Amino acid sequence: MILILLGPPGSGKGTQAKRLGVEEKWPHLSTGDMLRSAITQGTQLGLKAKTFMDQGLLVPDEVVIGLISERVQQVDCKNGFILDGFPRTIPQAVALGVMLNALSLHLDRVFSFEIKESELINRLCGRRTCPKCGAMYHVESVPPLQDMICDQCGTGLVQRADDQIDVVQRRLKVYQQETAPLVDFYRKEGRLICLDAAQSANAVALELKKALTA
Ligand code: AP5
């Protein structure tokens, strides 16, 4: 099964992709995570990406298309994968179609995560993440047991640089301009399923599963 989770920053794509990936044993392909890992490793690509990400702008298409193109050819992707944060522009969506055709794979479903902007600001500004194991928290809705310490590995939690309010606002604007048109793009292809992403994470997971088995 090949799935795209499409939605604005903070709509819960990463939360659901992680969960579904573990349950179904499908690799979770997050371009955001790949880029952050390149930044941590200090690679050339990471240095280039950081200048865009810190400002809440999209990394150039050719960079992320190259990353995904390499990743989907790896052996663990042959039975399917979950795309989280890719594609994010029409040229990326077109490139994905070409990539999948060349590998004789096909896209099964695109889930559009629908939610109000005011809720997204609260989710993103309150998010805290573990830099070691990637576990995710929220200061109000999913607080760690001990303040700013990861429940799973005991590492100090951090706030992502792009979760500061001014950068969040830029990311939301960029989403509307560059990524929202993909909703119509995939609706026209007949692959779109809309989800109410304002529900609890458990309720969203249930809706997703139902749509997958329908
Ligand atoms: P990326 O890392 O992909 O960030 P994003 O798409 O902006 O999405 P987020 O990770 O912020 O949110 P999410 O929807 O995954 O929500 P989450 O589950 O974390 O990209 C970062 C940057 O990388 C981009 O700005 C760009 O610069 C670059 N980039 C990445 N891909 C690119 C591409 N293809 N092209 C070009 N540039 C690219 O949840 C958020 C919070 O809400 C958490 O605290 C969570 O606990 C909480 N939460 C989740 N679900 C619920 C729920 N149902 N109810 C209550 N709280 C919830």
Side-chain angles (χ1 to χ4, degrees):
M1 187 78 78
I2 298 180
L3 308 176
I4 293 177
L5 306 192
L6 176 66
S11 56
K13 307 178 297 294
T15 301
Q16 298 300 330
K18 270 200 188 95
R19 197 166 162 159
L20 189 64
V22 170
E23 282 173 20
E24 301 289 343
K25 300 193 173 50
W26 293 329
H28 166 204
L29 275 47
S30 156
T31 36
D33 287 348
M34 291 178 197
L35 293 166
R36 279 185 289 277
S37 155
I39 292 173
T40 308
Q41 288 165 25
T43 64
Q44 245 349 68
L45 186 148
L47 290 176
K48 181 172 181 190
K50 189 174 185 322
T51 59
F52 295 94
M53 291 168 80
D54 283 353
Q55 296 178 70
L57 299 173
L58 294 186
V59 173
D61 285 339
E62 66 274 14
V63 175
V64 283
I65 291 170
L67 274 180
I68 284 291
S69 163
E70 271 183 30
R71 184 65 185 89
V72 298
Q73 293 182 56
Q74 289 172 14
V75 66
D76 63 329
C77 287
K78 77 174 187 325
N79 294 324
F81 47 86
I82 307 168
L83 288 166
D84 161 18
F86 183 93
R88 249 175 156 107
T89 62
I90 299 282
Q92 290 181 24
V94 171
L96 175 67
V98 173
M99 241 181 260
L100 295 181
N101 263 341
L103 295 167
S104 303
L105 297 172
H106 77 277
L107 179 60
D108 291 285
R109 290 180 178 76
V110 179
F111 289 97
S112 170
F113 283 53
E114 318 245 312
I115 182 167
K116 282 196 307 223
E117 197 167 297
S118 53
E119 175 62 17
L120 297 174
I121 292 176
N122 171 46
R123 283 191 188 181
L124 291 169
C125 294
R127 171 167 56 188
R128 301 293 181 267
T129 50
C130 174
K132 189 168 176 205
C133 73
M136 207 166 6
Y137 300 86
H138 186 278
V139 288
E140 286 158 9
S141 57
V142 195
L145 296 172
Q146 211 185 323
D147 191 33
M148 290 303 278
I149 300 292
C150 179
D151 295 347
Q152 294 180 24
C153 70
T155 304
L157 301 179
V158 295
Q159 182 175 28
R160 263 170 55 173
D162 61 352
D163 280 348
Q164 305 288 339
I165 182 70
D166 50 332
V167 188
V168 163
Q169 278 164 341
R170 169 81 64 81
R171 287 163 65 200
L172 292 171
K173 204 166 157 197
V174 168
Y175 175 82
Q176 285 307 330
Q177 288 167 346
E178 308 269 354
T179 311
L182 290 180
V183 172
D184 265 351
F185 179 93
Y186 285 118
R187 184 176 285 124
K188 282 184 192 139
E189 284 200 355
R191 299 182 204 279
L192 195 80
I193 297 173
C194 295
L195 288 180
D196 174 6
Q199 309 171 85
S200 71
N202 283 344
V204 178
L206 213 64
E207 208 179 317
L208 229 159
K209 283 283 235 192
K210 257 196 212 155
L212 281 176
T213 48

